Amino acid sequence: MDAKDSASRTRQTLDRKAHWIEWLLGGSCALLVAAMIGWIGYEALTGREGQAELSTRIVHQDKGDAGYRVMFLVGNTGKRTASSVVVRGEIRDGDSVLETSEVTFDYVPAHSSVSGTLLFRSPPQAGQLQVRPTAYSDP
Amino acid sequence: MRPAADAGRQTAGLGSGTSRKQGGPAKFIVGIGRGVGGALLFALPMQMTVEMWELGFIIDRGRLLLLLIVTLPLLVGIAHRIGFEETFGWRDDLRDSMIAYGIGIASSAILLALFRVLTPDMSSSEILGKIALQAVPASIGAMLGRSQLGNSGDDDADDDDADDDETDDGNDAAGDKGSLDKGYGSELFLMAVGALFLNLNMAPTEEMILISYKMTPWHALATIFLSIGLMHGFVYALSFKGSHALSKDTPAWHALVRFTLPGYVIALAISLYALWTFGRLDGMGLTPTMMAMIVLAFPGAIGAAAARLIL
């Protein structure tokens, strides 16, 4: 890196009169970064310390080799991510629980949903199927 | 000193031996050796990471295919930009890329088998997925190996340059080839390679999303400003060797708009692509996606800024 090299580089890449494409690209990148900062800033200003708001929705049921499959989505509409989310499925007949099945999700991020599957030996149609989150921790 | 430097220079490329007048099989083998060294240096952290093994069978096959295809022009670009002088042409670059890819695949297969991550009772899809995924960083490493583990292959360049190489080897390799004549586009390309260098190492790990979950938006904002500030300071303000020297009449914000911010956006984009490829963004909402991208773009920005010192 001798003087000649750095001089020519300076002249070439950091001249005041840069190619218009450089300014165009630089300008759009500045806008993009500003938009991102704006969005995150808005979230920061409006986001009160929220809680995770978990809900489940059954999307599909069928029969596989390992038993009856109940596929579901766990959604988190809250502003906070939940970790170690336990979802328990129960097949109930009135007050008595015929069968339970449980799965743990590593994370259910804020404003996001994650899918999972519970397996049962008896057909879920035999009683009343209930799938709900039972516990989570803060990440 | 001189004979050693000359020998190094003559063997600088992966496949240089076959296309050089003074080349021979021994030099070709040294080139391959450098490639293997680079592949190890770059890919070992990933080959010894449990998430990368899991991704071998978890990763969506369409995304894996896309990653494998995207790697090829990237390798050709690195070969063209860092590998040889311009006179060498795209055919040589392509050949070098294929050699690097081959080294990546072979070294990944051998190492994963050595770690007993690959065993004969696994399905062929799992074995292929694991090797293919690791082959991407390993091949990039093989390609970079030449510039990192040796000088940058200027054998038939002029004597001045050769002397420079000899006395000031590392620095010259960093600044020599690429940054001088090729201008803006290749500056940005270098930054992309640098961002990939750190991003590929970190993107597969769970910690990236875990950090983004722990952060509040305020932390994310601070990360953005720190990333841009470090990036700008790292290369332009501190003016390391191999980096830009600001001329006196150029205001600092010129470099910020023309280089640092595009570099940061490149780091963000590569972070987003890496996270998406590794399935970290599936089902995620917009804000958590942005937060994860910002977290990963922090090392990406450092890598992009440092690229011009390393490469």
Side-chain angles (χ1 to χ4, degrees):
Chain A
M1 199 55 35
D2 53 36
K4 187 192 67 192
D5 282 358
S6 39
S8 71
R9 168 177 298 135
T10 305
R11 199 160 48 242
Q12 192 173 48
T13 56
L14 285 171
D15 196 352
R16 269 173 171 263
K17 298 181 208 70
H19 197 276
W20 61 270
I21 287 181
E22 295 187 32
W23 287 113
L24 181 70
L25 190 74
S28 9
C29 288
L31 281 181
L32 265 176
V33 173
M36 187 175 76
I37 291 172
W39 178 271
I40 300 286
Y42 173 78
E43 291 280 316
L45 288 173
T46 59
R48 300 159 299 274
E49 270 298 282
Q51 287 296 319
E53 300 290 346
L54 297 172
S55 61
T56 55
R57 184 165 61 87
I58 294 168
V59 288
H60 189 68
Q61 299 186 22
D62 64 4
K63 190 178 185 317
D65 292 340
Y68 293 88
R69 281 191 289 251
V70 175
M71 296 169 214
F72 63 93
L73 284 175
V74 198
N76 182 359
T77 54
K79 286 204 167 221
R80 198 152 169 183
T81 294
S83 65
S84 310
V85 178
V86 180
V87 173
R88 181 196 298 248
E90 288 175 346
I91 301 176
R92 302 175 76 100
D93 185 14
D95 281 345
S96 61
V97 176
L98 300 179
E99 193 181 344
T100 65
S101 174
E102 208 174 70
V103 62
T104 305
F105 293 89
D106 289 344
Y107 301 104
V108 183
H111 304 296
S112 307
S113 60
V114 182
S115 62
T117 300
L118 291 168
L119 296 173
F120 294 98
R121 270 168 306 167
S122 41
Q125 294 80 7
Q128 209 181 4
L129 176 67
Q130 208 177 59
V131 178
R132 62 189 182 86
T134 56
Y136 66 87
S137 66
D138 291 330
Chain B
M1 187 64 203
R2 175 141 205 129
D6 274 351
R9 198 153 30 249
Q10 279 162 13
T11 56
L14 282 178
S16 61
T18 55
S19 56
R20 299 273 164 106
K21 287 186 288 274
Q22 68 270 55
K27 284 159 189 163
F28 182 74
I29 288 169
V30 172
I32 298 284
R34 279 205 180 143
V36 172
L40 289 177
L41 193 65
F42 190 56
L44 255 186
M46 278 161 271
Q47 281 157 348
M48 300 177 101
T49 299
V50 68
E51 283 95 339
M52 282 293 276
W53 308 339
E54 289 167 355
L55 277 166
F57 49 90
I58 292 174
I59 191 171
D60 182 273
R61 294 292 136 162
R63 295 180 198 183
L64 180 58
L65 180 67
L66 183 65
L67 180 69
L68 293 173
I69 293 172
V70 163
T71 303
L72 199 56
L74 179 78
L75 290 176
V76 174
I78 298 176
H80 191 67
R81 180 63 179 67
I82 299 166
F84 298 118
E85 51 264 58
E86 289 142 273
T87 49
F88 263 71
W90 294 103
R91 259 187 66 220
D92 295 305
D93 292 335
L94 187 64
R95 182 210 54 206
D96 260 32
S97 308
M98 294 322 293
I99 294 174
Y101 225 155
I103 291 175
I105 294 168
S107 63
S108 301
I110 292 169
L111 284 175
L112 290 179
L114 178 74
F115 302 148
R116 214 159 167 270
V117 176
L118 296 179
T119 52
D121 55 325
M122 287 174 181
S123 75
S124 55
S125 159
E126 179 177 349
I127 293 176
L128 272 176
K130 283 178 174 170
I131 295 175
L133 187 61
Q134 300 280 4
V136 171
S139 61
I140 295 173
M143 210 38 141
L144 295 176
R146 288 177 316 198
S147 68
Q148 293 192 321
L149 301 184
N151 52 41
S152 50
D154 251 302
D155 34 336
D156 29 35
D158 55 23
D159 280 335
D160 284 347
D161 211 339
D163 287 337
D164 233 342
D165 259 7
E166 203 176 8
T167 50
D168 204 6
D169 213 0
N171 290 331
D172 205 63
D176 178 25
K177 312 231 61 171
S179 4
L180 261 183
D181 314 304
K182 306 204 195 153
Y184 194 60
S186 55
E187 292 282 337
L188 297 186
F189 179 73
L190 254 194
M191 288 203 241
V193 174
L196 257 184
F197 193 99
L198 278 183
N199 273 1
L200 275 180
N201 270 291
M202 300 187 177
T205 63
E206 188 182 319
E207 281 79 357
M208 292 307 114
I209 50 169
L210 176 59
I211 290 169
S212 78
Y213 297 157
K214 283 177 174 292
M215 276 180 165
T216 68
W218 292 112
H219 292 87
L221 275 181
T223 309
I224 296 172
F225 289 117
L226 188 65
S227 303
I228 296 175
L230 280 178
M231 216 177 159
H232 195 65
F234 209 84
V235 174
Y236 299 108
L238 298 184
S239 234
F240 284 120
K241 285 228 169 189
S243 67
H244 286 288
L246 282 167
S247 66
K248 289 223 171 67
D249 58 338
T250 310
W253 66 270
H254 275 214
L256 181 77
V257 172
R258 276 156 61 192
F259 292 95
T260 308
L261 288 181
Y264 185 54
V265 169
I266 287 172
L268 287 170
I270 287 176
S271 303
L272 192 64
Y273 175 70
L275 288 169
W276 174 78
T277 299
F278 297 143
R280 290 294 189 192
L281 303 178
D282 297 357
M284 245 194 213
L286 180 62
T287 306
T289 299
M290 269 182 154
M291 301 269 282
M293 176 175 80
I294 290 164
V295 169
L296 186 59
F298 180 59
I302 305 289
R308 309 183 59 264
L309 313 176
I310 302 169
L311 302 181

